PDB file of all heavy atoms in Angstrom:
ATOM      1  N   VAL A   1      32.178 -17.185 -66.708  1.00  0.00           N
ATOM      2  CA  VAL A   1      31.802 -17.360 -65.362  1.00  0.00           C
ATOM      3  C   VAL A   1      32.375 -16.130 -64.698  1.00  0.00           C
ATOM      4  O   VAL A   1      33.583 -15.886 -64.634  1.00  0.00           O
ATOM      5  CB  VAL A   1      32.410 -18.561 -64.717  1.00  0.00           C
ATOM      6  CG1 VAL A   1      32.000 -18.732 -63.239  1.00  0.00           C
ATOM      7  CG2 VAL A   1      31.811 -19.861 -65.524  1.00  0.00           C
ATOM      8  N   GLY A   2      31.561 -15.439 -63.927  1.00  0.00           N
ATOM      9  CA  GLY A   2      31.978 -14.265 -63.039  1.00  0.00           C
ATOM     10  C   GLY A   2      31.208 -14.189 -61.906  1.00  0.00           C
ATOM     11  O   GLY A   2      30.185 -15.073 -61.605  1.00  0.00           O
ATOM     12  N   GLY A   3      31.463 -13.225 -61.007  1.00  0.00           N
ATOM     13  CA  GLY A   3      30.808 -13.187 -59.721  1.00  0.00           C
ATOM     14  C   GLY A   3      30.824 -14.372 -58.902  1.00  0.00           C
ATOM     15  O   GLY A   3      29.862 -14.757 -58.334  1.00  0.00           O
ATOM     16  N   PHE A   4      32.022 -14.914 -58.779  1.00  0.00           N
ATOM     17  CA  PHE A   4      32.242 -16.051 -57.901  1.00  0.00           C
ATOM     18  C   PHE A   4      31.787 -15.712 -56.462  1.00  0.00           C
ATOM     19  O   PHE A   4      31.966 -14.559 -56.011  1.00  0.00           O
ATOM     20  CB  PHE A   4      33.702 -16.447 -57.896  1.00  0.00           C
ATOM     21  CG  PHE A   4      34.211 -17.028 -59.145  1.00  0.00           C
ATOM     22  CD1 PHE A   4      34.947 -16.356 -60.073  1.00  0.00           C
ATOM     23  CD2 PHE A   4      34.066 -18.425 -59.279  1.00  0.00           C
ATOM     24  CE1 PHE A   4      35.333 -16.925 -61.287  1.00  0.00           C
ATOM     25  CE2 PHE A   4      34.525 -18.968 -60.442  1.00  0.00           C
ATOM     26  CZ  PHE A   4      35.189 -18.231 -61.446  1.00  0.00           C
ATOM     27  N   SER A   5      31.229 -16.648 -55.792  1.00  0.00           N
ATOM     28  CA  SER A   5      30.807 -16.449 -54.323  1.00  0.00           C
ATOM     29  C   SER A   5      32.004 -16.846 -53.497  1.00  0.00           C
ATOM     30  O   SER A   5      32.221 -18.024 -53.089  1.00  0.00           O
ATOM     31  CB  SER A   5      29.532 -17.339 -53.914  1.00  0.00           C
ATOM     32  OG  SER A   5      28.405 -16.879 -54.729  1.00  0.00           O
ATOM     33  N   TRP A   6      32.951 -15.842 -53.344  1.00  0.00           N
ATOM     34  CA  TRP A   6      34.180 -16.165 -52.643  1.00  0.00           C
ATOM     35  C   TRP A   6      33.957 -16.310 -51.042  1.00  0.00           C
ATOM     36  O   TRP A   6      33.255 -15.648 -50.446  1.00  0.00           O
ATOM     37  CB  TRP A   6      35.226 -15.115 -52.916  1.00  0.00           C
ATOM     38  CG  TRP A   6      35.675 -15.067 -54.338  1.00  0.00           C
ATOM     39  CD1 TRP A   6      35.210 -14.153 -55.246  1.00  0.00           C
ATOM     40  CD2 TRP A   6      36.595 -15.883 -55.019  1.00  0.00           C
ATOM     41  NE1 TRP A   6      35.847 -14.438 -56.402  1.00  0.00           N
ATOM     42  CE2 TRP A   6      36.692 -15.478 -56.341  1.00  0.00           C
ATOM     43  CE3 TRP A   6      37.392 -16.989 -54.490  1.00  0.00           C
ATOM     44  CZ2 TRP A   6      37.548 -16.170 -57.286  1.00  0.00           C
ATOM     45  CZ3 TRP A   6      38.120 -17.679 -55.491  1.00  0.00           C
ATOM     46  CH2 TRP A   6      38.218 -17.229 -56.840  1.00  0.00           C
ATOM     47  N   GLN A   7      34.782 -17.183 -50.419  1.00  0.00           N
ATOM     48  CA  GLN A   7      35.002 -17.242 -49.054  1.00  0.00           C
ATOM     49  C   GLN A   7      36.423 -17.000 -48.672  1.00  0.00           C
ATOM     50  O   GLN A   7      37.319 -17.219 -49.592  1.00  0.00           O
ATOM     51  CB  GLN A   7      34.554 -18.536 -48.502  1.00  0.00           C
ATOM     52  CG  GLN A   7      33.181 -18.893 -48.720  1.00  0.00           C
ATOM     53  CD  GLN A   7      32.684 -20.199 -48.264  1.00  0.00           C
ATOM     54  OE1 GLN A   7      33.094 -20.665 -47.040  1.00  0.00           O
ATOM     55  NE2 GLN A   7      32.056 -21.166 -49.051  1.00  0.00           N
ATOM     56  N   SER A   8      36.731 -16.553 -47.503  1.00  0.00           N
ATOM     57  CA  SER A   8      38.243 -16.157 -47.366  1.00  0.00           C
ATOM     58  C   SER A   8      38.722 -16.816 -46.041  1.00  0.00           C
ATOM     59  O   SER A   8      37.926 -16.993 -45.020  1.00  0.00           O
ATOM     60  CB  SER A   8      38.394 -14.665 -47.244  1.00  0.00           C
ATOM     61  OG  SER A   8      37.523 -14.081 -46.233  1.00  0.00           O
ATOM     62  N   TYR A   9      39.971 -16.857 -45.932  1.00  0.00           N
ATOM     63  CA  TYR A   9      40.627 -17.312 -44.659  1.00  0.00           C
ATOM     64  C   TYR A   9      41.939 -16.644 -44.518  1.00  0.00           C
ATOM     65  O   TYR A   9      42.907 -16.728 -45.495  1.00  0.00           O
ATOM     66  CB  TYR A   9      40.848 -18.952 -44.769  1.00  0.00           C
ATOM     67  CG  TYR A   9      41.843 -19.343 -43.672  1.00  0.00           C
ATOM     68  CD1 TYR A   9      41.279 -19.498 -42.279  1.00  0.00           C
ATOM     69  CD2 TYR A   9      43.130 -19.713 -43.868  1.00  0.00           C
ATOM     70  CE1 TYR A   9      42.098 -19.952 -41.267  1.00  0.00           C
ATOM     71  CE2 TYR A   9      43.956 -20.182 -42.861  1.00  0.00           C
ATOM     72  CZ  TYR A   9      43.428 -20.257 -41.554  1.00  0.00           C
ATOM     73  OH  TYR A   9      44.255 -20.755 -40.547  1.00  0.00           O
ATOM     74  N   ILE A  10      42.111 -15.934 -43.489  1.00  0.00           N
ATOM     75  CA  ILE A  10      43.323 -15.080 -43.412  1.00  0.00           C
ATOM     76  C   ILE A  10      44.369 -15.814 -42.478  1.00  0.00           C
ATOM     77  O   ILE A  10      44.046 -16.380 -41.472  1.00  0.00           O
ATOM     78  CB  ILE A  10      42.997 -13.845 -42.630  1.00  0.00           C
ATOM     79  CG1 ILE A  10      41.926 -13.083 -43.374  1.00  0.00           C
ATOM     80  CG2 ILE A  10      44.219 -12.846 -42.475  1.00  0.00           C
ATOM     81  CD1 ILE A  10      41.351 -11.699 -42.710  1.00  0.00           C
ATOM     82  N   GLU A  11      45.614 -15.884 -43.151  1.00  0.00           N
ATOM     83  CA  GLU A  11      46.732 -16.382 -42.550  1.00  0.00           C
ATOM     84  C   GLU A  11      47.227 -15.291 -41.508  1.00  0.00           C
ATOM     85  O   GLU A  11      47.372 -14.049 -41.798  1.00  0.00           O
ATOM     86  CB  GLU A  11      47.852 -16.698 -43.542  1.00  0.00           C
ATOM     87  CG  GLU A  11      47.662 -17.958 -44.260  1.00  0.00           C
ATOM     88  CD  GLU A  11      48.215 -19.152 -43.566  1.00  0.00           C
ATOM     89  OE1 GLU A  11      48.881 -19.068 -42.488  1.00  0.00           O
ATOM     90  OE2 GLU A  11      48.050 -20.240 -44.171  1.00  0.00           O
ATOM     91  N   GLU A  12      47.650 -15.801 -40.383  1.00  0.00           N
ATOM     92  CA  GLU A  12      48.339 -14.758 -39.418  1.00  0.00           C
ATOM     93  C   GLU A  12      49.793 -15.021 -39.526  1.00  0.00           C
ATOM     94  O   GLU A  12      50.306 -16.184 -39.695  1.00  0.00           O
ATOM     95  CB  GLU A  12      47.824 -15.089 -37.991  1.00  0.00           C
ATOM     96  CG  GLU A  12      46.438 -14.702 -37.758  1.00  0.00           C
ATOM     97  CD  GLU A  12      46.023 -14.902 -36.234  1.00  0.00           C
ATOM     98  OE1 GLU A  12      46.900 -15.232 -35.512  1.00  0.00           O
ATOM     99  OE2 GLU A  12      44.775 -14.672 -36.046  1.00  0.00           O
ATOM    100  N   SER A  13      50.570 -13.868 -39.398  1.00  0.00           N
ATOM    101  CA  SER A  13      51.975 -14.005 -39.503  1.00  0.00           C
ATOM    102  C   SER A  13      52.547 -14.626 -38.129  1.00  0.00           C
ATOM    103  O   SER A  13      52.096 -14.224 -37.046  1.00  0.00           O
ATOM    104  CB  SER A  13      52.675 -12.540 -39.688  1.00  0.00           C
ATOM    105  OG  SER A  13      52.308 -11.678 -38.568  1.00  0.00           O
ATOM    106  N   PRO A  14      53.323 -15.703 -38.318  1.00  0.00           N
ATOM    107  CA  PRO A  14      53.798 -16.444 -37.030  1.00  0.00           C
ATOM    108  C   PRO A  14      54.870 -15.607 -36.496  1.00  0.00           C
ATOM    109  O   PRO A  14      55.486 -14.740 -37.069  1.00  0.00           O
ATOM    110  CB  PRO A  14      54.312 -17.776 -37.660  1.00  0.00           C
ATOM    111  CG  PRO A  14      54.725 -17.390 -39.070  1.00  0.00           C
ATOM    112  CD  PRO A  14      53.754 -16.355 -39.567  1.00  0.00           C
ATOM    113  N   THR A  15      55.096 -15.892 -35.178  1.00  0.00           N
ATOM    114  CA  THR A  15      56.122 -15.190 -34.387  1.00  0.00           C
ATOM    115  C   THR A  15      56.943 -16.332 -33.721  1.00  0.00           C
ATOM    116  O   THR A  15      56.510 -17.384 -33.514  1.00  0.00           O
ATOM    117  CB  THR A  15      55.651 -14.195 -33.430  1.00  0.00           C
ATOM    118  OG1 THR A  15      54.720 -14.861 -32.529  1.00  0.00           O
ATOM    119  CG2 THR A  15      54.885 -13.128 -34.136  1.00  0.00           C
ATOM    120  N   SER A  16      58.186 -15.934 -33.205  1.00  0.00           N
ATOM    121  CA  SER A  16      58.969 -16.957 -32.513  1.00  0.00           C
ATOM    122  C   SER A  16      58.234 -17.354 -31.332  1.00  0.00           C
ATOM    123  O   SER A  16      57.472 -16.552 -30.656  1.00  0.00           O
ATOM    124  CB  SER A  16      60.304 -16.307 -32.110  1.00  0.00           C
ATOM    125  OG  SER A  16      60.128 -15.104 -31.462  1.00  0.00           O
ATOM    126  N   GLY A  17      58.376 -18.578 -30.908  1.00  0.00           N
ATOM    127  CA  GLY A  17      57.677 -19.010 -29.699  1.00  0.00           C
ATOM    128  C   GLY A  17      56.375 -19.655 -30.077  1.00  0.00           C
ATOM    129  O   GLY A  17      55.523 -20.044 -29.124  1.00  0.00           O
ATOM    130  N   ASP A  18      55.958 -19.688 -31.362  1.00  0.00           N
ATOM    131  CA  ASP A  18      54.723 -20.304 -31.753  1.00  0.00           C
ATOM    132  C   ASP A  18      54.735 -21.760 -31.932  1.00  0.00           C
ATOM    133  O   ASP A  18      53.978 -22.408 -32.669  1.00  0.00           O
ATOM    134  CB  ASP A  18      54.298 -19.661 -33.166  1.00  0.00           C
ATOM    135  CG  ASP A  18      53.601 -18.285 -32.868  1.00  0.00           C
ATOM    136  OD1 ASP A  18      53.567 -17.870 -31.703  1.00  0.00           O
ATOM    137  OD2 ASP A  18      53.401 -17.632 -33.948  1.00  0.00           O
ATOM    138  N   GLY A  19      55.678 -22.351 -31.315  1.00  0.00           N
ATOM    139  CA  GLY A  19      55.831 -23.804 -31.375  1.00  0.00           C
ATOM    140  C   GLY A  19      56.727 -24.334 -32.621  1.00  0.00           C
ATOM    141  O   GLY A  19      56.597 -25.510 -32.905  1.00  0.00           O
ATOM    142  N   ASP A  20      57.413 -23.411 -33.068  1.00  0.00           N
ATOM    143  CA  ASP A  20      58.285 -23.806 -34.155  1.00  0.00           C
ATOM    144  C   ASP A  20      59.346 -24.829 -33.711  1.00  0.00           C
ATOM    145  O   ASP A  20      59.889 -24.652 -32.604  1.00  0.00           O
ATOM    146  CB  ASP A  20      58.919 -22.591 -34.855  1.00  0.00           C
ATOM    147  CG  ASP A  20      58.007 -21.465 -35.156  1.00  0.00           C
ATOM    148  OD1 ASP A  20      57.213 -21.759 -36.042  1.00  0.00           O
ATOM    149  OD2 ASP A  20      57.957 -20.484 -34.418  1.00  0.00           O
ATOM    150  N   THR A  21      59.609 -25.826 -34.529  1.00  0.00           N
ATOM    151  CA  THR A  21      60.588 -26.687 -34.171  1.00  0.00           C
ATOM    152  C   THR A  21      61.966 -26.489 -34.738  1.00  0.00           C
ATOM    153  O   THR A  21      63.064 -27.040 -34.254  1.00  0.00           O
ATOM    154  CB  THR A  21      60.245 -28.047 -34.701  1.00  0.00           C
ATOM    155  OG1 THR A  21      60.044 -28.076 -36.172  1.00  0.00           O
ATOM    156  CG2 THR A  21      58.949 -28.525 -34.058  1.00  0.00           C
ATOM    157  N   LEU A  22      62.083 -25.540 -35.708  1.00  0.00           N
ATOM    158  CA  LEU A  22      63.315 -25.136 -36.384  1.00  0.00           C
ATOM    159  C   LEU A  22      63.938 -23.890 -35.635  1.00  0.00           C
ATOM    160  O   LEU A  22      63.274 -22.813 -35.808  1.00  0.00           O
ATOM    161  CB  LEU A  22      63.062 -24.957 -37.840  1.00  0.00           C
ATOM    162  CG  LEU A  22      62.699 -26.117 -38.615  1.00  0.00           C
ATOM    163  CD1 LEU A  22      62.401 -25.831 -40.081  1.00  0.00           C
ATOM    164  CD2 LEU A  22      63.740 -27.262 -38.579  1.00  0.00           C
ATOM    165  N   VAL A  23      65.082 -23.991 -35.027  1.00  0.00           N
ATOM    166  CA  VAL A  23      65.581 -22.864 -34.235  1.00  0.00           C
ATOM    167  C   VAL A  23      67.108 -22.952 -34.429  1.00  0.00           C
ATOM    168  O   VAL A  23      67.840 -24.013 -34.456  1.00  0.00           O
ATOM    169  CB  VAL A  23      65.303 -22.974 -32.745  1.00  0.00           C
ATOM    170  CG1 VAL A  23      65.983 -21.758 -32.006  1.00  0.00           C
ATOM    171  CG2 VAL A  23      63.742 -22.910 -32.562  1.00  0.00           C
ATOM    172  N   ALA A  24      67.708 -21.709 -34.692  1.00  0.00           N
ATOM    173  CA  ALA A  24      69.167 -21.669 -34.779  1.00  0.00           C
ATOM    174  C   ALA A  24      69.758 -20.317 -34.357  1.00  0.00           C
ATOM    175  O   ALA A  24      68.893 -19.308 -34.411  1.00  0.00           O
ATOM    176  CB  ALA A  24      69.612 -21.993 -36.282  1.00  0.00           C
ATOM    177  N   ASN A  25      70.931 -20.228 -34.028  1.00  0.00           N
ATOM    178  CA  ASN A  25      71.462 -18.925 -33.567  1.00  0.00           C
ATOM    179  C   ASN A  25      72.167 -18.334 -34.767  1.00  0.00           C
ATOM    180  O   ASN A  25      73.223 -17.739 -34.695  1.00  0.00           O
ATOM    181  CB  ASN A  25      72.434 -19.118 -32.440  1.00  0.00           C
ATOM    182  CG  ASN A  25      71.847 -19.521 -31.105  1.00  0.00           C
ATOM    183  OD1 ASN A  25      70.681 -19.037 -30.871  1.00  0.00           O
ATOM    184  ND2 ASN A  25      72.403 -20.487 -30.341  1.00  0.00           N
ATOM    185  N   ARG A  26      71.495 -18.438 -35.889  1.00  0.00           N
ATOM    186  CA  ARG A  26      72.110 -17.762 -37.274  1.00  0.00           C
ATOM    187  C   ARG A  26      70.994 -17.865 -38.199  1.00  0.00           C
ATOM    188  O   ARG A  26      69.930 -18.451 -37.901  1.00  0.00           O
ATOM    189  CB  ARG A  26      73.321 -18.531 -37.537  1.00  0.00           C
ATOM    190  CG  ARG A  26      73.036 -19.961 -38.004  1.00  0.00           C
ATOM    191  CD  ARG A  26      74.388 -20.741 -38.345  1.00  0.00           C
ATOM    192  NE  ARG A  26      74.142 -22.173 -38.621  1.00  0.00           N
ATOM    193  CZ  ARG A  26      73.932 -22.621 -39.796  1.00  0.00           C
ATOM    194  NH1 ARG A  26      73.822 -21.752 -40.852  1.00  0.00           N
ATOM    195  NH2 ARG A  26      73.870 -23.959 -39.930  1.00  0.00           N
ATOM    196  N   LEU A  27      71.313 -17.327 -39.306  1.00  0.00           N
ATOM    197  CA  LEU A  27      70.285 -17.208 -40.407  1.00  0.00           C
ATOM    198  C   LEU A  27      70.552 -18.373 -41.278  1.00  0.00           C
ATOM    199  O   LEU A  27      71.752 -18.787 -41.734  1.00  0.00           O
ATOM    200  CB  LEU A  27      70.496 -15.873 -41.356  1.00  0.00           C
ATOM    201  CG  LEU A  27      70.055 -14.591 -40.504  1.00  0.00           C
ATOM    202  CD1 LEU A  27      70.552 -13.384 -41.346  1.00  0.00           C
ATOM    203  CD2 LEU A  27      68.593 -14.600 -40.363  1.00  0.00           C
ATOM    204  N   TRP A  28      69.519 -19.090 -41.749  1.00  0.00           N
ATOM    205  CA  TRP A  28      69.676 -20.283 -42.523  1.00  0.00           C
ATOM    206  C   TRP A  28      69.463 -19.914 -44.010  1.00  0.00           C
ATOM    207  O   TRP A  28      68.531 -19.204 -44.293  1.00  0.00           O
ATOM    208  CB  TRP A  28      68.788 -21.337 -42.047  1.00  0.00           C
ATOM    209  CG  TRP A  28      69.352 -22.264 -41.061  1.00  0.00           C
ATOM    210  CD1 TRP A  28      70.671 -22.378 -40.704  1.00  0.00           C
ATOM    211  CD2 TRP A  28      68.673 -23.165 -40.167  1.00  0.00           C
ATOM    212  NE1 TRP A  28      70.861 -23.333 -39.737  1.00  0.00           N
ATOM    213  CE2 TRP A  28      69.656 -23.848 -39.373  1.00  0.00           C
ATOM    214  CE3 TRP A  28      67.308 -23.538 -39.982  1.00  0.00           C
ATOM    215  CZ2 TRP A  28      69.306 -24.891 -38.432  1.00  0.00           C
ATOM    216  CZ3 TRP A  28      66.976 -24.578 -39.103  1.00  0.00           C
ATOM    217  CH2 TRP A  28      67.998 -25.146 -38.206  1.00  0.00           C
ATOM    218  N   GLU A  29      70.046 -20.597 -44.919  1.00  0.00           N
ATOM    219  CA  GLU A  29      69.712 -20.485 -46.297  1.00  0.00           C
ATOM    220  C   GLU A  29      68.481 -21.173 -46.490  1.00  0.00           C
ATOM    221  O   GLU A  29      68.149 -22.280 -46.076  1.00  0.00           O
ATOM    222  CB  GLU A  29      70.803 -21.136 -47.129  1.00  0.00           C
ATOM    223  CG  GLU A  29      70.686 -20.895 -48.593  1.00  0.00           C
ATOM    224  CD  GLU A  29      69.766 -21.862 -49.324  1.00  0.00           C
ATOM    225  OE1 GLU A  29      69.792 -22.947 -48.889  1.00  0.00           O
ATOM    226  OE2 GLU A  29      69.158 -21.509 -50.345  1.00  0.00           O
ATOM    227  N   GLN A  30      67.467 -20.554 -47.365  1.00  0.00           N
ATOM    228  CA  GLN A  30      66.206 -20.933 -47.504  1.00  0.00           C
ATOM    229  C   GLN A  30      65.975 -22.315 -48.055  1.00  0.00           C
ATOM    230  O   GLN A  30      65.284 -23.171 -47.515  1.00  0.00           O
ATOM    231  CB  GLN A  30      65.383 -19.858 -48.330  1.00  0.00           C
ATOM    232  CG  GLN A  30      63.878 -20.383 -48.529  1.00  0.00           C
ATOM    233  CD  GLN A  30      63.059 -19.093 -49.045  1.00  0.00           C
ATOM    234  OE1 GLN A  30      63.431 -17.976 -48.895  1.00  0.00           O
ATOM    235  NE2 GLN A  30      61.984 -19.582 -49.703  1.00  0.00           N
ATOM    236  N   ILE A  31      66.643 -22.722 -49.129  1.00  0.00           N
ATOM    237  CA  ILE A  31      66.319 -23.976 -49.812  1.00  0.00           C
ATOM    238  C   ILE A  31      66.807 -25.100 -48.935  1.00  0.00           C
ATOM    239  O   ILE A  31      66.330 -26.259 -48.968  1.00  0.00           O
ATOM    240  CB  ILE A  31      66.992 -23.995 -51.199  1.00  0.00           C
ATOM    241  CG1 ILE A  31      66.417 -22.891 -52.068  1.00  0.00           C
ATOM    242  CG2 ILE A  31      66.603 -25.297 -51.970  1.00  0.00           C
ATOM    243  CD1 ILE A  31      64.912 -22.636 -52.091  1.00  0.00           C
TER     244      ILE A  31
END
C-alpha cells in the first residue's frame, strides 16, 4: 500500500497567556 491520501493538521506552538492553568515562578521537573 503506497500513495496514501494524506490530510494534515498543524499544531501551533502555545505561548504564555493562552489559558494555561499551570503557572509557577520557577522551572518544574517534567514528569
Side-chain angles (χ1 to χ4, degrees):
V1 178
F4 290 97
S5 296
W6 293 103
Q7 299 178 50
S8 61
Y9 170 76
I10 302 174
E11 286 270 356
E12 294 184 2
S13 60
T15 59
S16 57
D18 283 353
D20 306 290
T21 57
L22 299 174
V23 178
N25 291 323
R26 61 187 178 91
L27 294 168
W28 272 345
E29 191 274 327
Q30 178 165 337
I31 306 304

